[in-house]
Amino acid sequence: MDGLFIVFEGIDGAGKSTQARLLAEWFREKGYDVVLTKEPTDSELGNFVKRLILIGGIINGGRISHEAEALLFAADRAEHVKKVIEPALREGKVVISDRYFYSSLAYQWARGLDVEWLISVNSFAPRPHLVILLDLPAKESMRRVRLRGAESEFDKLLELQRKVRENYLKLAERFPEFRIVNAMAPVEDIHRDVVALVEHELLRR
């Protein structure tokens, strides 16, 4: 694969979508062909997974088991990889994704699933060249989510967000593609930090 694959991760409200968009604009200004994508996807399968989140089935376990939930996320990801990510990389494009399989590891591990099993379930997914973890305290996450008026079942659980943040930091120690950026800084400063990372890690090789 000749393209570049960059992923933004972090708890809710960390600014992933904003920073992914800003980085995509930066690459396009430099003449790169960019695919800006996200997980869950906007496919029928991805939208089904998102509906499960919004109705709360993923949180209370009343609709499906946590294992089934993890497999549904992985199924959506498999489609994403085969139909979007891998074709774009083969064409030499820059792929920037707002969330990837690390989200499943962080969130579903926090829900009690075995992280080694989760890694195995997602073993089909190619590793990105760079994962940018936008690190944010859980209380700030909750404040931002409430401000934007988009609370989901995940967002209501402060303790879950704390666990997810801890898990992301553990994943950053495990996966060498991770780099951590302080998400408490102003948007413009975060973008500059992200660009500096991309230039140093990917473009100056």
mmCIF file of all heavy atoms in Angstrom, residues 2 17 29 35 40 114 116 119 135 142 155 159 178 182-183:
data_model
loop_
_atom_site.group_PDB
_atom_site.id
_atom_site.type_symbol
_atom_site.label_atom_id
_atom_site.label_comp_id
_atom_site.label_asym_id
_atom_site.label_seq_id
_atom_site.Cartn_x
_atom_site.Cartn_y
_atom_site.Cartn_z
ATOM 1 N N ASP A 2 0.607 2.159 -0.906
ATOM 2 C CA ASP A 2 1.461 3.319 -1.103
ATOM 3 C C ASP A 2 0.941 4.584 -0.430
ATOM 4 O O ASP A 2 1.654 5.574 -0.359
ATOM 5 C CB ASP A 2 1.639 3.583 -2.600
ATOM 6 C CG ASP A 2 2.324 2.422 -3.310
ATOM 7 O OD1 ASP A 2 3.251 1.840 -2.717
ATOM 8 O OD2 ASP A 2 1.922 2.106 -4.436
ATOM 9 N N SER A 17 -13.263 14.811 15.229
ATOM 10 C CA SER A 17 -13.826 15.183 13.927
ATOM 11 C C SER A 17 -13.246 16.502 13.425
ATOM 12 O O SER A 17 -12.919 16.638 12.239
ATOM 13 C CB SER A 17 -15.352 15.285 14.018
ATOM 14 O OG SER A 17 -15.915 14.047 14.395
ATOM 15 N N GLU A 29 -4.483 21.087 0.624
ATOM 16 C CA GLU A 29 -3.792 22.311 0.203
ATOM 17 C C GLU A 29 -2.393 22.015 -0.323
ATOM 18 O O GLU A 29 -1.852 22.780 -1.122
ATOM 19 C CB GLU A 29 -3.716 23.296 1.381
ATOM 20 C CG GLU A 29 -5.054 23.933 1.728
ATOM 21 C CD GLU A 29 -4.989 24.745 3.010
ATOM 22 O OE1 GLU A 29 -3.900 24.809 3.630
ATOM 23 O OE2 GLU A 29 -6.040 25.317 3.397
ATOM 24 N N VAL A 35 -8.946 10.982 1.532
ATOM 25 C CA VAL A 35 -10.223 10.371 1.875
ATOM 26 C C VAL A 35 -10.432 10.575 3.376
ATOM 27 O O VAL A 35 -9.666 10.067 4.192
ATOM 28 C CB VAL A 35 -10.248 8.868 1.542
ATOM 29 C CG1 VAL A 35 -11.534 8.224 2.067
ATOM 30 C CG2 VAL A 35 -10.118 8.654 0.040
ATOM 31 N N PRO A 40 -18.351 4.540 13.644
ATOM 32 C CA PRO A 40 -19.016 3.677 12.683
ATOM 33 C C PRO A 40 -19.245 4.415 11.359
ATOM 34 O O PRO A 40 -19.350 5.638 11.345
ATOM 35 C CB PRO A 40 -20.351 3.339 13.350
ATOM 36 C CG PRO A 40 -20.159 3.596 14.806
ATOM 37 C CD PRO A 40 -19.163 4.721 14.872
ATOM 38 N N ASP A 114 -12.570 -9.036 27.062
ATOM 39 C CA ASP A 114 -11.140 -9.315 27.092
ATOM 40 C C ASP A 114 -10.441 -8.600 25.944
ATOM 41 O O ASP A 114 -10.807 -8.777 24.783
ATOM 42 C CB ASP A 114 -10.912 -10.823 26.983
ATOM 43 C CG ASP A 114 -9.444 -11.172 26.996
ATOM 44 O OD1 ASP A 114 -8.780 -10.966 28.021
ATOM 45 O OD2 ASP A 114 -8.952 -11.635 25.943
ATOM 46 N N GLU A 116 -7.523 -9.031 24.646
ATOM 47 C CA GLU A 116 -6.835 -9.907 23.697
ATOM 48 C C GLU A 116 -7.822 -10.483 22.685
ATOM 49 O O GLU A 116 -7.511 -10.622 21.502
ATOM 50 C CB GLU A 116 -6.103 -11.032 24.430
ATOM 51 C CG GLU A 116 -5.058 -10.545 25.423
ATOM 52 C CD GLU A 116 -3.993 -9.659 24.791
ATOM 53 O OE1 GLU A 116 -3.695 -9.843 23.590
ATOM 54 O OE2 GLU A 116 -3.446 -8.782 25.491
ATOM 55 N N ILE A 119 -8.633 -7.711 20.219
ATOM 56 C CA ILE A 119 -7.545 -7.547 19.252
ATOM 57 C C ILE A 119 -7.618 -8.637 18.196
ATOM 58 O O ILE A 119 -7.463 -8.383 16.993
ATOM 59 C CB ILE A 119 -6.186 -7.548 19.969
ATOM 60 C CG1 ILE A 119 -6.021 -6.266 20.792
ATOM 61 C CG2 ILE A 119 -5.035 -7.682 18.963
ATOM 62 C CD1 ILE A 119 -4.806 -6.253 21.704
ATOM 63 N N ASP A 135 -5.930 13.428 23.919
ATOM 64 C CA ASP A 135 -6.154 13.055 25.311
ATOM 65 C C ASP A 135 -6.876 14.160 26.067
ATOM 66 O O ASP A 135 -6.462 15.331 26.040
ATOM 67 C CB ASP A 135 -4.811 12.744 25.981
ATOM 68 C CG ASP A 135 -4.993 12.249 27.394
ATOM 69 O OD1 ASP A 135 -5.913 11.434 27.622
ATOM 70 O OD2 ASP A 135 -4.240 12.688 28.284
ATOM 71 N N MET A 142 -17.299 15.275 29.411
ATOM 72 C CA MET A 142 -18.719 15.395 29.732
ATOM 73 C C MET A 142 -19.219 16.826 29.542
ATOM 74 O O MET A 142 -20.312 17.051 29.032
ATOM 75 C CB MET A 142 -18.943 14.956 31.181
ATOM 76 C CG MET A 142 -18.473 13.541 31.487
ATOM 77 S SD MET A 142 -19.381 12.287 30.575
ATOM 78 C CE MET A 142 -20.957 12.370 31.381
ATOM 79 N N ASP A 155 -22.095 8.910 26.743
ATOM 80 C CA ASP A 155 -21.722 10.205 27.301
ATOM 81 C C ASP A 155 -22.243 10.407 28.718
ATOM 82 O O ASP A 155 -21.711 11.226 29.460
ATOM 83 C CB ASP A 155 -22.253 11.333 26.405
ATOM 84 C CG ASP A 155 -21.805 11.188 24.966
ATOM 85 O OD1 ASP A 155 -20.660 10.769 24.751
ATOM 86 O OD2 ASP A 155 -22.603 11.490 24.073
ATOM 87 N N GLU A 159 -17.935 7.525 34.667
ATOM 88 C CA GLU A 159 -16.984 6.483 35.061
ATOM 89 C C GLU A 159 -16.522 5.682 33.853
ATOM 90 O O GLU A 159 -15.351 5.298 33.747
ATOM 91 C CB GLU A 159 -17.606 5.549 36.103
ATOM 92 C CG GLU A 159 -16.617 4.562 36.705
ATOM 93 C CD GLU A 159 -15.392 5.235 37.311
ATOM 94 O OE1 GLU A 159 -15.536 6.331 37.884
ATOM 95 O OE2 GLU A 159 -14.298 4.658 37.189
ATOM 96 N N PHE A 178 0.974 4.967 18.084
ATOM 97 C CA PHE A 178 0.283 6.008 18.847
ATOM 98 C C PHE A 178 1.196 7.187 19.156
ATOM 99 O O PHE A 178 2.361 7.015 19.514
ATOM 100 C CB PHE A 178 -0.223 5.445 20.181
ATOM 101 C CG PHE A 178 -1.638 4.949 20.159
ATOM 102 C CD1 PHE A 178 -1.947 3.721 19.592
ATOM 103 C CD2 PHE A 178 -2.666 5.698 20.712
ATOM 104 C CE1 PHE A 178 -3.249 3.241 19.594
ATOM 105 C CE2 PHE A 178 -3.969 5.234 20.718
ATOM 106 C CZ PHE A 178 -4.266 4.005 20.149
ATOM 107 N N ASN A 182 -2.297 16.770 23.597
ATOM 108 C CA ASN A 182 -3.135 17.363 24.637
ATOM 109 C C ASN A 182 -4.362 18.024 24.015
ATOM 110 O O ASN A 182 -4.249 19.051 23.332
ATOM 111 C CB ASN A 182 -2.324 18.386 25.436
ATOM 112 C CG ASN A 182 -3.151 19.096 26.490
ATOM 113 O OD1 ASN A 182 -4.238 18.638 26.861
ATOM 114 N ND2 ASN A 182 -2.647 20.219 26.977
ATOM 115 N N ALA A 183 -5.533 17.453 24.275
ATOM 116 C CA ALA A 183 -6.767 17.972 23.682
ATOM 117 C C ALA A 183 -7.381 19.114 24.478
ATOM 118 O O ALA A 183 -8.451 19.613 24.128
ATOM 119 C CB ALA A 183 -7.783 16.842 23.523
#
